[in-house]
């Protein structure tokens, strides 16, 4: 009788032990467990150990850590009709575990596809010059488009950055010529402004020298000093300033 009873109770005990072990679960710090009881959403379990009803509860675990994903290179056309090839890097994470599980089948794949589509839209709404000079604004526009799409899935977009921008070689040469022309224009303007300022300064100096006859003589002596330092063998014949003044007065008379 006893062996028969043990033979009956042993399988029951094993089954009860299996159910007891299956009624406990453990979530890591970065995980959340979404509980479905008899097919209906029940609650979300946080990190640590938790208890569930065997056969009635089903647990779907969601990783909350940030995912880094390099988007595939996209070939598209800017608003001004230039064909470009762009790739970017995306950082995203699950913000609401319940919505991630219940609203989208494969939330990571959905976010990546939405990011590639948003990148094409953002580039199509921007000019090439803006993409080259103000990439931060393009990244912000891309982030806004992507956040609007992923918010209903319970996914948060941390950042998205355009990494590489390839343009045709002909366009690169045109941009280089434009930059060279701009630099040449700037150099000519600076040179003209310098000549204008130098002429204005010389005119002011001439007015001062004309008002003081002795200043011209001092300037002549200073010039002789400079010539003597650089060219010691040069012979300079001085013409008296008084004769020039006398000739000017005679001409005026």
């Amino acid at each position: 009788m006893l062996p028969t009873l043990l033979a009956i109770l042993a399988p029951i005990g094993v089954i009860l032990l299996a159910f007891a072990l299956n009624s406990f679960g453990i979530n890591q710090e970065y995980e959340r467990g979404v509980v479905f009881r008899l097919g209906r959403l029940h609650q979300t379990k946080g990190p640590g150990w938790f208890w569930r009803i065997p056969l009635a509860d089903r647990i779907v675990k969601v990783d909350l850590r940030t995912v880094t994903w390099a988007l595939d290179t996209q070939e598209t056309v800017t608003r001004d009709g230039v064909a470009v090839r762009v790739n970017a890097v995306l950082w995203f994470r699950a913000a609401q575990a319940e919505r991630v599980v219940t609203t989208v089948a494969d939330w990571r794949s959905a976010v990546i596809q939405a990011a590639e589509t948003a990148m094409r839209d953002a580039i199509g709404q921007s000019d090439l010059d803006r993409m080259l000079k103000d990439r931060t604004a393009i990244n912000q526009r891309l982030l806004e488009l992507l956040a609007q799409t992923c918010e209903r899935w319970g996914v948060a977009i941390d950042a998205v950055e355009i990494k590489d921008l390839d343009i045709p070689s002909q366009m690169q040469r045109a941009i280089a010529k434009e930059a060279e022309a701009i630099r040449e224009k700037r150099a000519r303007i600076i040179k003209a402004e310098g000549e204008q300022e130098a002429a204005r300064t010389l005119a002011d100096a001439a007015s001062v020298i004309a008002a003081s006859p002795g200043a011209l003589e001092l300037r002549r002596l200073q010039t002789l000093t400079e010539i003597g330092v650089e060219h010691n063998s040069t012979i300079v014949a001085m013409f008296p300033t008084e004769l020039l003044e006398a000739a000017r007065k005679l001409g005026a008379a």
Side-chain angles (χ1 to χ4, degrees):
M1 186 64 180
L2 183 59
T4 304
L5 183 61
L6 291 176
I8 296 174
L9 294 178
I12 297 175
V14 172
I15 294 173
L16 292 177
L17 180 61
F19 272 99
L21 294 177
N22 195 33
S23 63
F24 292 95
I26 297 177
N27 286 332
Q28 302 297 325
E29 183 66 30
Y30 53 84
E31 290 180 335
R32 297 295 182 269
V34 182
V35 182
F36 290 88
R37 180 162 295 173
L38 298 177
R40 292 181 176 274
L41 179 63
H42 180 57
Q43 62 179 343
T44 301
K45 299 293 185 179
W49 71 274
F50 60 91
W51 179 82
R52 62 181 180 178
I53 301 176
L55 300 180
D57 291 346
R58 183 174 67 91
I59 308 297
V60 179
K61 292 188 177 183
V62 178
D63 194 333
L64 301 183
R65 291 177 294 182
T66 300
V67 179
T68 303
W69 192 272
L71 300 176
D72 294 335
T73 301
Q74 302 294 314
E75 296 184 4
T76 184
V77 180
T78 60
R79 187 170 61 179
D80 51 351
V82 180
V84 295
R85 301 176 72 251
V86 182
N87 57 14
V89 181
L90 175 65
W91 292 268
F92 62 97
R93 57 184 172 82
Q96 301 178 18
E98 302 91 342
R99 300 180 67 179
V100 166
V101 175
T102 57
T103 58
V104 60
D106 188 352
W107 65 279
R108 295 191 180 187
S109 178
V111 171
I112 293 169
Q113 295 297 324
E116 293 178 353
T117 303
M119 184 168 62
R120 297 175 68 91
D121 293 341
I123 294 172
Q125 298 173 5
S126 303
D127 296 331
L128 180 62
D129 290 341
R130 186 182 180 188
M131 294 184 62
L132 294 174
K133 298 177 182 178
D134 193 7
R135 190 174 296 184
T136 303
I138 305 298
N139 293 334
Q140 183 63 30
R141 175 60 178 167
L142 180 57
L143 181 61
E144 292 175 358
L145 291 174
L146 191 56
Q148 293 176 359
T149 302
C150 297
E151 183 179 2
R152 62 178 181 268
W153 297 335
V155 178
I157 307 299
D158 291 336
V160 56
E161 299 287 342
I162 294 178
K163 185 169 61 174
D164 293 326
L165 175 63
D166 295 334
I167 59 178
S169 57
Q170 296 179 354
M171 184 59 63
Q172 293 180 8
R173 290 194 294 268
I175 294 174
K177 290 181 180 179
E178 180 182 1
E180 184 179 358
I182 292 174
R183 287 194 297 269
E184 185 177 357
K185 173 185 175 181
R186 189 179 304 167
R188 290 184 178 181
I189 291 175
I190 294 174
K191 182 179 180 181
E193 291 176 351
E195 292 179 354
Q196 182 180 6
E197 185 177 355
R200 189 181 297 110
T201 303
L202 289 175
D204 295 340
S207 300
V208 173
I209 292 175
S212 179
L216 180 60
E217 185 65 24
L218 293 175
R219 179 59 182 164
R220 184 182 292 110
L221 294 175
Q222 184 179 1
T223 304
L224 290 176
T225 304
E226 295 175 354
I227 294 175
V229 172
E230 297 180 358
H231 307 283
N232 295 329
S233 61
T234 301
I235 300 175
V236 179
M238 298 292 295
F239 192 76
T241 307
E242 291 78 4
L243 294 179
L244 292 176
E245 294 293 333
R248 186 180 296 110
K249 290 180 181 179
L250 290 176

